[in-house]
Amino acid sequence: KGSYFTPQCWVELSQKYIADTLGENWQDEYWVWDCAAGTGNLLHGLVDKYRIFASTLDQADVDVMKDRIAHGANLLESHVFQFDFLNDSLESVKIPETLRNILQNEEKRRKLIIYINPPYAEHGNKRQISGTGENKTGVAETVVSEKYRLLIGTAVRELYAQFLIRIDKEISGCWLG
């Protein structure tokens, strides 16, 4: 749980970079999945709620996003879901059917943007305590770390590296933002 709230200025700049790369109308042509959404701040400013998916590790964060939807956030409740990206299967029924179809279709995956500010927690060799007093030891022990340990070596200790290797190897053809 290397959670980090994405500042609004970073959200706006990241969306500008995506528009610079994919064109001004990118939101009309691409689907967006924030698979490390937390409470969904990174998705602020996106316009087509039918093309946006948000998943997060904690159900409490899903509840916050659904409350934000009730108060006007531009997301669909059915596209917000609890999902452990580093442990759950990409075939999981936790993933909305529309997104599963995109993930399983090579052509559609080419129009999928994995848009994340991934967690930055690192598992160390010694017992480590974060600034909140929360123990981070063992945080990097995931299904993804076991699967790709030999490929990425000690980088597997970094949660963001686990997100990136899984995206690269298991959601090939998509864009990463």
Side-chain angles (χ1 to χ4, degrees):
K1 288 189 178 183
S3 60
Y4 178 77
F5 183 78
T6 308
Q8 188 60 35
C9 61
W10 292 7
V11 171
E12 292 168 7
L13 188 57
S14 70
Q15 291 175 14
K16 178 194 175 304
Y17 290 156
I18 293 172
D20 289 349
T21 301
L22 300 177
E24 286 299 318
N25 296 324
W26 69 273
Q27 292 187 56
D28 296 330
E29 300 173 31
Y30 291 84
W31 290 282
V32 174
W33 180 20
D34 183 349
C35 57
T39 58
N41 191 53
L42 187 62
L43 302 171
H44 182 75
L46 297 182
V47 295
D48 189 346
K49 64 184 175 184
Y50 296 97
R51 293 184 152 292
I52 304 167
F53 300 89
S55 63
T56 187
L57 180 63
D58 292 322
Q59 184 60 45
D61 287 340
V62 170
D63 296 341
V64 168
M65 281 191 278
K66 289 185 176 185
D67 184 60
R68 290 175 71 190
I69 291 168
H71 291 92
N74 193 33
L75 299 169
L76 286 178
E77 254 193 66
S78 61
H79 286 194
V80 174
F81 56 104
Q82 188 280 328
F83 184 75
D84 183 344
F85 190 79
L86 300 180
N87 287 299
D88 290 340
S89 167
L90 293 175
E91 305 291 323
S92 172
V93 295
K94 292 179 180 181
I95 298 175
E97 184 178 356
T98 305
L99 180 55
R100 277 198 324 268
N101 289 339
I102 294 166
L103 292 170
Q104 294 167 357
N105 182 300
E106 186 177 345
E107 281 301 310
K108 289 180 180 179
R109 269 196 323 272
R110 291 180 191 177
K111 293 290 188 172
L112 174 64
I113 299 169
I114 305 294
Y115 184 43
I116 57 174
N117 182 3
Y120 292 96
E122 176 186 5
H123 170 80
N125 291 330
K126 298 179 182 176
R127 180 178 163 92
Q128 294 181 340
I129 307 295
S130 73
T132 62
E134 196 174 328
N135 187 346
K136 296 293 184 177
T137 300
V139 71
E141 298 304 317
T142 67
V143 170
V144 170
S145 73
E146 287 302 312
K147 187 172 183 177
Y148 296 110
R149 184 176 311 277
L150 293 176
L151 181 62
I152 63 173
T154 58
V156 78
R157 294 178 182 169
E158 301 276 358
L159 291 184
Y160 79 88
Q162 290 186 37
F163 272 80
L164 296 179
I165 194 66
R166 185 170 200 195
I167 293 164
D168 180 57
K169 297 299 180 190
E170 298 181 30
I171 313 177
S172 62
C174 72
W175 291 83
L176 179 60

